[in-house]
Amino acid sequence: MMARSVLTEARQIDIARDLIELDARLQVLEAEVSLSRERLLRLYREVKGKSPPKGMLPFSTDWFMTWQPNIHSSLFMNIYQHQFKSSDLEPVEALIRAFRLYREQVESLGMPEVLSVTRAWRLTRFFGAGMLGMTECTSCRGHFVTHSFELSHQYVCGLCNMPSRAGKTRQAVVGREPATTCAAF
Amino acid sequence: MIDASEEVSSVRQPAARSAVQRLNDEIRDANLTYLMLAQQLIRADRSEALYRLGLSGEVADILDSLTTAQVLRVASSNMLLARFRFDDSMVWSLLASPKRDEAPSRMHAAILMASRTTTESV
């Protein structure tokens, strides 16, 4: 049998480069693209001019439930689901496009970018595994990220029912300047 | 509207006509701008265009297939082709009403608009 197609490989490199440019972690690349670890490392260094950060990925669904991450995740997920359903895109392509649109939206609102592409990828995985889902707010009818098994018939979103200190973290205050907006990853 | 102006129209017909003409020209220009922008977005990146424009795939394909001559013909109408995508008062009040801290309400509006787009146009 022939070795794998050069065109497919070129496509894979394109996807990997897009993900690296959006600051995806190496684990995301390894999961989404069938290139060897060595090639991904080389590609990463070529695109970013440095080695990828090491360490484990975040794995908790609870992060997506806290106030500020929840609204950012909800915005991203709405865009992602639209991208995924409206064309025949691969999930990873929908992720890339949706993340770019999310970033553009958040930038135009002058807000810090709370969701990283790695978190966004994790979020789509949690949806795929049925651990997280979308629930319609009974007050504003917007769709928000929630735990799948939560009682949801009386759900009111964090924006209709804002906690008193919502978004008043040190990071949010400092984050008014775009330079310091990037979360840990 | 028409019967009210009909009695006067015999007296100041030229002026009245040019006002209507001007209005139609403006509508045509708006239609033309919209159609050209939509075509440009659809051709650059279809899935992104569907999100930005809030169009269904079928409508996007129709717009994409229009020739320049057809675009001109379609645009010359006395009716505006594009209409508001968001018809609930929640979105409008979030966008329009001034708040002490604007960021959360603008974010709220963005989520609502994205939610509507996801549920309606797919």
Side-chain angles (χ1 to χ4, degrees):
Chain A
M1 207 178 113
M2 278 250 300
R4 82 154 82 94
S5 143
V6 179
L7 283 175
T8 315
E9 197 172 290
R11 181 89 201 88
Q12 300 264 300
I13 291 174
D14 272 346
I15 290 173
R17 194 191 47 199
D18 284 343
L19 286 171
I20 293 168
E21 280 171 352
L22 296 173
D23 301 316
R25 294 275 293 265
L26 204 64
Q27 289 94 323
V28 179
L29 304 178
E30 285 183 307
E32 293 297 336
V33 169
S34 59
L35 297 170
S36 72
R37 194 183 164 80
E38 288 68 41
R39 301 197 67 189
L40 286 174
L41 276 166
R42 262 177 49 205
L43 186 66
Y44 197 101
R45 282 198 215 95
E46 262 185 67
V47 175
K48 284 271 162 184
K50 61 180 183 195
S51 297
K54 295 181 181 65
M56 294 214 341
L57 291 187
F59 53 84
S60 167
T61 54
D62 290 337
W63 184 85
F64 298 102
M65 296 305 124
T66 48
W67 187 80
Q68 202 182 31
N70 187 254
I71 59 176
H72 284 256
S73 309
S74 299
L75 174 63
F76 167 80
M77 211 54 204
N78 275 303
I79 302 173
Y80 174 80
Q81 290 188 333
H82 182 269
Q83 291 297 295
F84 191 60
K85 285 186 214 154
S86 68
S87 316
D88 17 300
L89 294 172
E90 294 288 314
V92 64
E93 290 173 302
L95 172 81
I96 291 166
R97 281 145 191 273
F99 194 77
R100 288 198 186 123
L101 284 166
Y102 157 77
R103 178 176 274 181
E104 175 197 297
Q105 178 72 262
V106 168
E107 263 172 26
S108 79
L109 297 179
M111 295 179 105
E113 193 179 299
V114 174
L115 192 72
S116 68
V117 74
T118 303
R119 290 269 194 199
W121 171 78
R122 217 50 256 215
L123 182 61
T124 64
R125 286 297 179 101
F126 283 139
F127 267 70
M131 294 164 79
L132 295 176
M134 291 301 243
T135 302
E136 189 175 288
C137 170
T138 48
S139 169
C140 68
R141 288 175 47 238
H143 296 235
F144 291 81
V145 174
T146 53
H147 279 127
S148 297
F149 305 113
E150 222 161 357
L151 296 171
S152 57
H153 61 287
Q154 291 275 310
Y155 176 75
V156 177
C157 72
L159 283 160
C160 287
N161 185 17
M162 243 202 270
S164 54
R165 287 192 44 76
K168 301 262 179 3
T169 58
R170 217 169 68 87
Q171 190 207 343
V173 175
V174 179
R176 296 288 139 116
E177 293 136 51
T180 49
T181 54
C182 233
F185 45 85
Chain B
M1 252 156 58
I2 295 168
D3 3 336
S5 61
E6 233 160 27
E7 286 161 64
V8 206
S9 67
S10 57
V11 190
R12 334 177 246 175
Q13 207 178 22
R17 200 190 233 141
S18 75
V20 170
Q21 193 61 52
R22 213 162 40 234
L23 187 66
N24 282 339
D25 284 351
E26 277 176 35
I27 290 174
R28 191 202 56 213
D29 285 351
N31 282 338
L32 204 54
T33 309
Y34 176 78
L35 287 170
M36 290 192 324
L37 177 67
Q39 280 194 331
Q40 190 190 328
L41 290 177
I42 292 163
R43 284 164 193 174
D45 187 326
R46 188 172 177 276
S47 68
E48 199 178 292
L50 293 183
Y51 177 74
R52 288 189 202 275
L53 296 163
L55 296 175
S56 68
E58 294 93 75
V59 178
D61 291 340
I62 294 170
L63 293 189
D64 189 18
S65 70
L66 293 179
T67 63
T68 311
Q70 284 174 315
V71 166
L72 284 167
R73 204 174 311 139
V74 174
S76 308
S77 156
N78 60 353
M79 283 202 238
L80 208 56
L81 294 169
R83 70 162 164 191
F84 289 120
R85 291 163 66 183
F86 308 109
D87 51 9
D88 62 311
S89 56
M90 184 90 193
V91 171
W92 290 98
S93 70
L94 282 169
L95 286 172
S97 63
K99 290 262 168 62
R100 196 161 44 87
D101 188 9
E102 264 186 35
S105 53
R106 292 177 64 199
M107 186 72 175
H108 200 176
I111 293 172
L112 292 186
M113 291 196 281
S115 297
R116 305 285 190 274
T117 305
T118 308
T119 42
E120 278 157 24
S121 71
V122 179

